Amino acid sequence: MTGRLIIASNRTAAPGEARAGGLAVALADALSERGGGVWFGWSGDIVEREPRGAHVFTEDGVEFALADLTQAEYDGYYLGYANRALWPVFHYRIDLAQFEEADFAAYEAVNRRFGRLLAQFTRPEDVVWIHDYHFLLLGQEMRASGWSGPIGFFLHIPFPAPEVFSSLPQHQRLARAMAAFDLLGFQTDRDTANFRRYLIDTHGGELLEDGRIAVFDRVLTAKTFSIGIDPDDFAALALGDEARAAAERVGGIIDNRALVLGVDRMDYSKGLPQRMEAFGRVLDDNPDLRGRSSFLQIAPPSREAVDAYQALRVELDRLTGRINADYADLDWVPIRYLARGYPRETLAGLYRLARVALVTPLHDGMNLVAKEFVAAQDPEDPGVLVLSEFAGAAEQMPTSLLVNPHDIAGLAEAIHRALLMPLEERRERWQAMDASIRETTIAWWRHAFLEALDTTRPDA
């Protein structure tokens, strides 16, 4: 028997909000395919007093249950533990992590309140799908509230090596809570292996013959479900009027020079300073390329209240100013750095225009920019993807130019090679990547996860 789907994510695509991006559409489609369900998350509102319930709206048979946060909860749960502790540790930046007991207490309290709220919306035949690092404790809190049905969890960011995860003072508490999930999905085989190894090495977990893990008196499944995009949809987007207009506008500015493109949130995990230094190294070492290529970096700010992000903004401003001062001419600026976001239609046009895309995070769960760039290309004259070996997409796209983003000289060499790569090689590399992104699309991802979750039912 297939019941309703109950989804929990930090933010939802509630009625009246645009569903930009493939994930929001995929989750909405999953709810629709199940004949309705519940999508639970934070409302985005901050209130003075702790709310007791949730705001409920209904659209197309789906209930949206939205809970508010107080300022103290937002500061401790969201800005604090989620983004000053979990985010840096999961991205291997222990040096930037802040381990405040009060922040974890707020994180625990919000997960407890949200778990109790969410349990009230469930029926015995339902299945629950919880998303991302904001809700690592949510499954256990639902169990404590009496929910005994299937709970799946998907982590959208990397799961670090055991010795890195163990740097969290509360790692044992988090692990026991994560064991309340029946199915845990990760972006890459490396992430899945890290989680399994942590449970086995640290907590004496036993890997069973069927691949499940027995730990903390429970049996759970940890498996890789690499998230994807809708390649046909994005390819069509790249040929639309808005995309063409954006490409023509930028093409006119760079005056037919080769476009090197980066599109990332302004986040220290994305390797933005290293990328700018590498492009500067290309200009240092190759005078013949000066004036023949332009680097456009789009980096909308995120989590500006966190100190590490403010420092990153200062560093990017400094690097851009230095490189442009050294090499700009009257009719050419080497780097255009735009600290603002653009619609998907605009980005699709820029991807198609670009000769080289730099997707070089220091660590990333998957990175769908890499897949969108591939989908947007002209098959007859495709651009080149320079991809970090620490992005989840690297497991699926070995014919990209794989780089270590910490190696500035190696990254500069890859950019140089990409700019000069012959057409035949560009086509061969692109064809292999295009085939890869069509194997694990966003539709495949949701179907594969939910089919696996359904098998955890006692009656399956």
Side-chain angles (χ1 to χ4, degrees):
M1 178 181 180
T2 301
R4 299 181 309 161
L5 177 60
I6 312 297
I7 291 176
S9 58
N10 183 58
R11 295 302 304 272
T12 72
E17 295 182 3
R19 288 175 184 161
L23 179 61
V25 173
L27 296 182
D29 287 346
L31 288 162
S32 177
E33 288 174 358
R34 291 269 176 155
V38 178
W39 195 345
F40 174 89
W42 174 38
S43 66
D45 293 332
I46 297 175
V47 297
E48 292 184 6
R49 298 180 180 179
E50 180 177 313
R52 295 184 179 274
H55 313 287
V56 180
F57 309 89
T58 302
E59 181 181 69
D60 298 330
V62 175
E63 288 185 84
F64 290 84
L66 309 179
D68 300 328
L69 292 174
T70 65
Q71 186 66 55
E73 288 175 331
Y74 177 76
D75 291 342
Y77 149 76
Y78 182 75
L79 288 181
Y81 198 73
N83 287 303
R84 288 194 175 102
L86 293 178
W87 181 270
V89 169
F90 279 43
H91 288 86
Y92 292 79
R93 292 302 305 270
I94 302 174
D95 59 309
L96 296 178
Q98 298 179 26
F99 304 123
E100 301 291 341
E101 293 181 11
D103 287 346
F104 180 74
Y107 180 86
E108 191 174 37
V110 169
N111 271 256
R112 180 175 300 117
R113 178 162 69 87
F114 281 12
R116 290 172 178 173
L117 277 173
L118 186 55
Q120 297 174 13
F121 288 93
T122 60
R123 302 171 186 170
E125 68 276 10
D126 292 340
V127 294
V128 177
W129 191 6
I130 294 171
H131 290 263
D132 227 2
Y133 63 104
H134 311 88
F135 290 152
L136 296 178
L137 309 180
L138 197 62
Q140 187 181 64
E141 298 298 343
M142 290 188 69
R143 300 292 188 205
S145 296
W147 171 249
S148 59
I151 308 181
F153 172 81
F154 188 80
L155 184 66
H156 292 264
I157 63 176
F159 189 87
E163 56 273 19
V164 176
F165 182 66
S166 297
S167 68
L168 286 161
Q170 303 85 10
H171 70 93
Q172 296 192 40
R173 168 77 175 90
L174 295 171
R176 288 183 177 274
M178 293 175 75
F181 300 120
D182 299 290
L183 172 66
L184 294 102
F186 299 92
Q187 294 278 25
T188 68
D189 290 339
R190 177 168 49 196
D191 298 333
T192 303
N194 283 342
F195 180 71
R196 287 176 174 172
R197 186 158 63 91
Y198 169 81
L199 292 182
I200 292 169
D201 293 351
T202 307
H203 297 287
E206 179 185 359
L207 185 62
L208 305 179
E209 290 183 1
D210 60 3
R212 295 185 298 165
I213 302 172
V215 66
F216 302 129
D217 297 321
R218 282 185 52 81
V219 177
L220 57 89
T221 299
K223 193 173 180 181
T224 303
F225 300 91
S226 299
I227 200 167
I229 64 171
D230 182 336
D232 290 330
D233 177 73
F234 204 84
L237 203 66
L239 295 173
D241 291 341
E242 292 182 55
R244 291 178 184 273
E248 289 175 2
R249 183 180 176 190
V250 172
I253 294 172
I254 65 175
D255 193 24
N256 295 318
R257 296 179 175 93
L259 175 64
V260 179
L261 178 66
V263 177
D264 309 84
R265 285 186 305 104
M266 191 177 294
D267 188 290
Y268 52 75
S269 69
K270 301 300 183 182
L272 300 180
Q274 292 84 351
R275 189 180 303 173
M276 288 189 176
E277 288 183 22
F279 188 76
R281 180 77 66 89
V282 171
L283 300 180
D284 290 340
D285 297 342
N286 301 277
D288 57 310
L289 288 180
R290 298 172 194 168
R292 293 176 54 193
S293 61
S294 294
F295 177 29
L296 171 61
Q297 176 64 57
I298 296 174
S302 66
R303 304 183 185 93
E304 294 177 88
V306 179
D307 293 343
Y309 295 87
Q310 299 171 4
L312 175 62
R313 177 69 181 265
V314 171
E315 176 70 358
L316 295 180
D317 290 346
R318 182 190 68 80
L319 283 169
T320 304
R322 194 273 296 173
I323 294 169
N324 283 343
D326 285 349
Y327 292 114
D329 208 335
L330 296 176
D331 61 347
W332 171 66
V333 177
I335 297 180
R336 294 183 181 275
Y337 156 49
L338 306 177
R340 55 168 292 187
Y342 288 87
R344 293 179 76 232
E345 294 82 359
T346 297
L347 296 179
L350 298 183
Y351 293 149
R352 192 172 179 88
L353 175 67
R355 174 51 53 88
V356 180
L358 301 183
V359 182
T360 56
L362 306 183
H363 275 281
D364 219 340
M366 177 51 61
N367 198 300
L368 296 182
V369 168
K371 297 188 175 185
E372 290 176 345
F373 172 76
V374 171
Q377 294 308 295
D378 177 357
E380 298 303 316
D381 187 20
V384 180
L385 175 62
V386 177
L387 180 62
S388 167
E389 62 187 73
F390 303 120
E395 281 191 3
Q396 298 178 297
M397 307 169 83
T399 59
S400 61
L401 290 186
L402 292 175
V403 296
N404 177 345
H406 300 280
D407 178 5
I408 304 301
L411 180 51
E413 182 181 347
I415 296 171
H416 180 254
R417 180 182 174 187
L419 285 168
L420 301 181
M421 185 176 291
L423 176 59
E424 183 177 355
E425 183 181 355
R426 285 191 277 124
R427 284 177 178 167
E428 289 178 358
R429 290 176 177 274
W430 175 82
Q431 287 167 359
M433 289 188 289
D434 185 62
S436 174
I437 67 172
R438 293 178 182 281
E439 290 178 2
T440 54
T441 65
I442 189 71
W444 170 89
W445 171 77
R446 76 170 189 271
H447 287 141
F449 189 96
L450 291 174
E451 286 174 7
L453 182 57
D454 282 333
T455 64
T456 67
R457 289 180 169 281
D459 57 353

